[in-house]
Amino acid sequence: MAGLFEISTKGQGLYEFTSQVQGWLSGQEVDEGLLTLFVRHTSCSLLIQENADPEVQTDLRNFFHRMVPPTTDPSMSYLTHTYEGPDDMPAHIKAAMLPVSLSIPVSGNRMALGTWQGIYLFEHRNAPHQRQVVAHLGR
């Protein structure tokens, strides 16, 4: 069984969509299985991360911005893919470092996430985007 989630972003940051995934799961007829999520883009990622304290999301965004700054930063002058903007190639690098798919066990039509865990799309571009995440639930 497959599903599709559309996630609107407003620039760099983490966008939680746990409740949308759980809503979709509740409508499935598989009580137990493995949920796979896959993002269909090369400049964003997927994460399971703490959803209780928003400072975690801010710190993650700031850490990756510091680790991989825009191409306008002198330390990134070696990059050649720059014609799509100073955030584009750094976004591809971040997506290469972070997961673009997740596997989550499902039991009783619920994801087996921990108490403080949520599912996030991590947008690495500055401009707003419409992102697609494909879901597959297998037995």
Side-chain angles (χ1 to χ4, degrees):
M1 287 163 235
L4 181 68
F5 300 97
E6 298 272 346
I7 300 161
S8 298
T9 68
K10 297 175 180 142
Q12 291 191 36
L14 285 94
Y15 297 85
E16 186 174 6
F17 65 107
T18 312
S19 61
Q20 293 95 314
V21 176
Q22 186 55 56
W24 175 79
L25 266 179
S26 297
Q28 304 306 307
E29 294 182 19
V30 176
D31 187 49
E32 294 195 6
L34 185 65
L35 171 66
T36 302
L37 299 173
F38 174 75
V39 65
R40 301 176 69 183
H41 306 278
T42 60
S43 56
C44 60
S45 339
L46 295 175
L47 293 179
I48 293 175
Q49 199 46 254
E50 178 179 330
N51 63 0
D53 185 349
E55 288 180 348
V56 171
Q57 296 146 42
T58 301
D59 288 347
L60 281 168
R61 187 177 142 229
N62 290 340
F63 172 79
F64 280 99
H65 179 78
R66 192 170 179 186
M67 184 192 282
V68 188
T71 59
T72 52
D73 186 291
S75 69
M76 303 301 273
S77 64
Y78 65 93
L79 295 176
T80 58
H81 179 74
T82 60
Y83 52 86
E84 292 182 48
D87 66 323
D88 185 48
M89 191 59 218
H92 293 298
I93 293 170
K94 292 171 190 174
M97 296 169 64
L98 295 165
V100 295
S101 67
L102 301 171
S103 296
I104 304 167
V106 173
S107 180
N109 268 31
R110 299 205 51 84
M111 293 177 284
L113 294 173
T115 303
W116 308 114
Q117 289 183 319
I119 303 168
Y120 291 88
L121 179 122
F122 195 170
E123 177 63 69
H124 303 305
R125 296 296 308 267
N126 292 332
H129 283 83
Q130 277 296 117
R131 301 302 196 173
Q132 293 182 336
V133 176
V134 176
H136 178 265
L137 181 58
R139 293 180 187 239

